[in-house]
Amino acid sequence: MRDLTGPEGDGLMKDTINAAAPVIEARNLNLTFDTADGAVHALKDVNLTIGKGEFVSFIGPSGCGKTTFLRCIAALETPTAGTLTVNGMTPDEARKSRAYGYVFQAAGLYPWRTIAGNIKLPLEIMGFDRAEQESRVERVLELVELKGFGKKFPWQLSGGMQQRASIARALAFDADLLLMDEPFGALDEIVRDRLNEELLKLWARTEKTIGFVTHSIPEAVYLSTKIVVMSPRPGRITDVIDSPLPKERPLDIRDSREFIEIAHRVREGLRAGHGDDM
Amino acid sequence: MRNILPILTVVATIVVLWYLAAVKLNSAWVYDQATRAGADMPAFSQVVSETMNQDRPVLPTPHQVGAELWKSTVGMAVTSKRSLVYHGWVTISATLLGFAIGTGLGVLLAVGIIHNRAMDMSVMPWAIASQTIPILAIAPMIIVVLNSLGLQGLVPKAIISAYLSFFPVVVGMVKGLRSPDQMQLDLLKTYNASAAGAFWKLRVPSSMPYLFASLKVGIAASLVGAIVGELPTGAVAGLGARLLSGSYYGQTVQIWAALFAAAIVAAGMVIVIGLIEKGTLRRMGMVR
């Protein structure tokens, strides 16, 4: 596995030993889509281990398979070869045992439900009783700093607040794994910075494992304990970087030397992966 | 309030054009009468005044139609066979029953179409084909067949009415129930929601705006169906019967009054559905 993850194999070695049972483990994962233009190799020989409590960012240009990989973990896509386990189960078993919360790029709140009603949606489907629903809604609203907004309808909230509500919805049923597919991609940079800061706090408080897809190098470096650099045609992992940054990260850490060095390495990885078409 | 002025302008324009057309179309009869009586050609002002209140005008004037409407609704006991309230109610009751049947059938078909592949492939072509058959051709046969089964009066008319109104509901509801995008469906999949859960929590609420748009078309189609269903039964009762008997006896004023009564009923029913729509969507939080 390590030889496929690039020059950072040794750092990963230590990491794998430290984490007890991995939350996500991919071995020689392949996924090919049959399209009208022929087969598209969306994922090629992906090997990756994610330990408990890690914050893992997937970064790469469009078509590198980062979203596809996240969707495989969520059992929304089915790999065509290789093995993938989530909490030691198959992704589909993990989905059925409600192992993860998924946050999409669009908030996707139901316009006919209030914010509290939207957060209750998964709870209703999973059969929590009414009192439990109420207390959970209160708790996650506080967690994403939307206390007091439960009775508002989505259109009464800004885009950033809507996305926070959708994160609250994914947190409501206490899955240990949070999968986020470019959750802040549609927001402006100022809102994005704030939400990144809040997400780190939330991660520190809840100790969840987070898989985070992004286009943004600063976002990936700022948030992650592990950065997975991917490249397209075929979609594959070109580099895995274990971040030396401390867990406590004020926004101005982005001006530090370490931060800039990691960002540089990510950029190099992206450029190398692109080869001739850039 | 700012909507009133344009509406009044349009109405006034129509009334003016209507009077002009009435003068033009009805004047032939005035000249004809003068010729037969051997009199001189009447002056234009006299022609105009004589086109205003003819017994059997080619085109009745607005005030004649208004007077006839007033006389046959307010000025008459509702039990009278000449009361438009009585005939209107006969038609409305058939329309509402037909609308209820048509809407129910439409929704059921739509639910079947989105959940069953065989129905998805097969129902829509038949539904479309059903609407290409002229209703005037099929209505008498429905009346005859149901009559031989012992069904008369309200039900056959309601079935013809349902025949016209289920179609917009099927089309609208299939579109509405399929309106949630893939991301929304994926989200429910991550919760491991059942098909029933997805149906009630996502598809049904998403389809509401589509449903109401269809219902507005459907209720108007229902009314047309009920009126058409009244024609082959031999002018017994209903707005359709008034239209038919008016045309038997050349009572153009009566025909126009019945036509306007039908238009007013249709507008009223569409407005009622609009109000229900507004109330429902507001309660769902979908109106800002």
Side-chain angles (χ1 to χ4, degrees):
Chain A
M1 173 207 155
R2 242 156 285 119
D3 46 351
L4 282 159
T5 56
E8 201 49 21
D10 290 340
L12 200 90
M13 179 74 177
K14 278 181 244 134
D15 207 68
T16 320
I17 291 166
N18 288 345
V23 175
I24 292 160
E25 189 150 44
R27 288 277 166 273
N28 298 317
L29 201 67
N30 279 273
L31 175 58
T32 317
F33 289 117
D34 287 319
T35 68
D37 304 332
V40 173
H41 217 148
L43 291 173
K44 183 174 159 43
D45 298 331
V46 169
N47 287 289
L48 188 70
T49 306
I50 298 176
K52 187 164 166 43
E54 282 194 272
F55 195 128
V56 182
S57 284
F58 300 88
I59 188 164
S62 306
C64 71
K66 55 193 192 298
T67 294
T68 308
F69 184 57
L70 207 68
R71 289 174 64 85
C72 284
I73 298 170
L76 295 173
E77 306 283 357
T78 311
T80 39
T83 58
L84 177 64
T85 59
V86 179
N87 290 339
M89 295 176 271
T90 69
D92 210 46
E93 285 164 356
R95 177 177 70 81
K96 284 176 180 151
S97 67
R98 285 138 183 177
Y100 65 85
Y102 202 103
V103 179
F104 293 85
Q105 180 170 10
L109 302 170
Y110 289 2
W112 56 88
R113 282 177 177 242
T114 60
I115 297 302
N118 269 290
I119 296 171
K120 276 181 203 163
L121 175 72
L123 303 177
E124 287 169 13
I125 290 168
M126 297 175 188
F128 288 86
D129 67 49
R130 198 157 290 220
E132 179 74 19
Q133 288 181 17
E134 297 294 341
S135 74
R136 278 170 182 259
V137 166
E138 282 311 305
R139 205 189 64 216
V140 294
L141 276 178
E142 207 187 322
L143 218 48
V144 298
E145 296 182 25
L146 278 180
K147 207 169 161 47
F149 286 93
K151 289 199 171 68
K152 299 267 189 227
F153 280 101
W155 58 268
Q156 295 172 298
L157 269 57
S158 68
M161 288 163 98
Q162 290 187 22
Q163 195 54 277
R164 288 210 298 246
S166 91
I167 293 171
R169 181 178 58 188
L171 293 171
F173 49 94
D174 277 341
D176 289 331
L177 177 60
L178 194 56
L179 301 174
M180 308 177 89
D181 184 5
E182 291 188 54
F184 309 140
L187 303 174
D188 69 63
E189 205 161 333
I190 300 162
V191 178
R192 199 175 218 201
D193 275 355
R194 241 200 86 154
L195 289 179
N196 280 341
E197 230 181 334
E198 284 177 14
L199 183 59
L200 272 187
K201 278 190 213 149
L202 194 136
W203 172 63
R205 275 176 74 181
T206 57
E207 296 181 327
K208 291 193 187 300
T209 311
I210 299 182
F212 189 95
V213 167
T214 181
H215 268 125
S216 156
I217 297 174
E219 190 172 69
V221 179
Y222 178 64
L223 292 172
S224 322
T225 57
K226 180 182 275 181
I227 302 159
V228 179
V229 183
M230 299 181 76
S231 69
R233 284 175 297 272
R236 63 198 187 277
I237 295 177
T238 50
D239 196 4
V240 177
I241 305 165
D242 283 301
S243 174
L245 295 178
K247 218 176 166 181
E248 196 74 20
R249 295 176 188 182
L251 267 180
D252 55 20
I253 202 171
R254 294 184 297 185
D255 299 324
S256 72
R257 215 168 53 87
E258 287 112 315
F259 188 96
I260 292 164
E261 272 170 12
I262 303 165
H264 180 75
R265 187 169 150 194
V266 173
R267 200 169 294 116
E268 289 298 311
L270 290 173
R271 195 168 298 158
H274 251 291
D276 48 356
D277 53 312
M278 236 174 103
Chain B
M1 264 341 242
R2 68 205 154 97
N3 293 332
I4 292 291
L5 194 65
I7 291 173
L8 287 181
T9 311
V10 171
V11 170
T13 310
I14 290 171
V15 168
V16 168
L17 288 176
W18 189 351
Y19 270 113
L20 291 175
V23 170
K24 176 91 175 79
L25 292 168
N26 297 341
S27 62
W29 183 82
V30 179
Y31 288 121
D32 200 36
Q33 290 297 94
T35 316
R36 282 193 209 174
D40 294 335
M41 280 298 114
F44 181 66
S45 62
Q46 199 189 341
V47 174
V48 169
S49 79
E50 285 191 21
T51 55
M52 288 293 115
N53 288 299
Q54 296 172 0
D55 279 343
R56 292 178 179 185
V58 176
L59 179 63
T61 53
H63 68 266
Q64 280 181 295
V65 174
E68 171 72 15
L69 264 176
W70 181 264
K71 193 182 80 183
S72 53
T73 50
V74 183
M76 208 175 271
V78 293
T79 48
S80 163
K81 287 280 182 221
R82 286 166 58 210
S83 165
L84 272 182
V85 177
Y86 161 73
H87 289 288
W89 171 247
V90 169
T91 303
I92 290 171
S93 55
T95 302
L96 292 180
L97 180 60
F99 179 63
I101 298 171
T103 303
L105 183 69
V107 170
L108 281 181
L109 283 175
V111 171
I113 285 172
I114 64 150
H115 282 117
N116 182 303
R117 206 178 129 70
M119 277 186 79
D120 187 18
M121 309 289 279
S122 60
V123 173
M124 213 38 125
W126 286 102
I128 292 167
S130 77
Q131 302 302 300
T132 61
I133 301 167
I135 188 67
L136 271 173
I138 207 165
M141 288 187 281
I142 294 177
I143 301 277
V144 168
V145 168
L146 289 178
N147 190 43
S148 75
L149 294 173
L151 281 171
Q152 286 178 350
L154 184 65
V155 175
K157 286 195 286 179
I159 285 172
I160 293 165
S161 167
Y163 184 92
L164 286 189
S165 64
F166 87 94
F167 184 67
V169 177
V170 175
V171 174
M173 280 305 276
V174 167
K175 182 95 180 146
L177 292 171
R178 283 193 175 143
S179 64
D181 58 26
Q182 192 56 44
M183 194 204 88
Q184 294 284 10
L185 298 171
D186 281 347
L187 180 68
L188 286 177
K189 198 175 169 197
T190 69
Y191 303 149
N192 196 22
S194 62
F199 181 76
W200 290 111
K201 293 200 188 294
L202 176 61
R203 291 189 191 275
V204 169
S206 306
S207 72
M208 281 302 130
Y210 296 83
L211 174 65
F212 281 108
S214 300
L215 291 184
K216 284 181 192 167
V217 180
I219 191 103
S222 276
L223 183 69
V224 171
I227 290 173
V228 169
E230 282 160 358
L231 300 179
T233 50
V236 184
L239 293 175
R242 287 298 279 175
L243 289 173
L244 198 61
S245 70
S247 76
Y248 280 165
Y249 303 110
Q251 295 288 348
T252 47
V253 181
Q254 181 190 319
I255 295 176
W256 280 84
L259 279 178
F260 268 83
I264 291 165
V265 167
M269 291 190 300
V270 170
I271 287 170
V272 168
I273 290 183
L275 291 176
I276 297 172
E277 173 181 27
K278 228 176 179 175
T280 309
L281 294 187
R282 178 164 299 153
R283 261 195 28 212
M284 289 171 74
M286 288 163 90
V287 181
R288 298 185 183 187

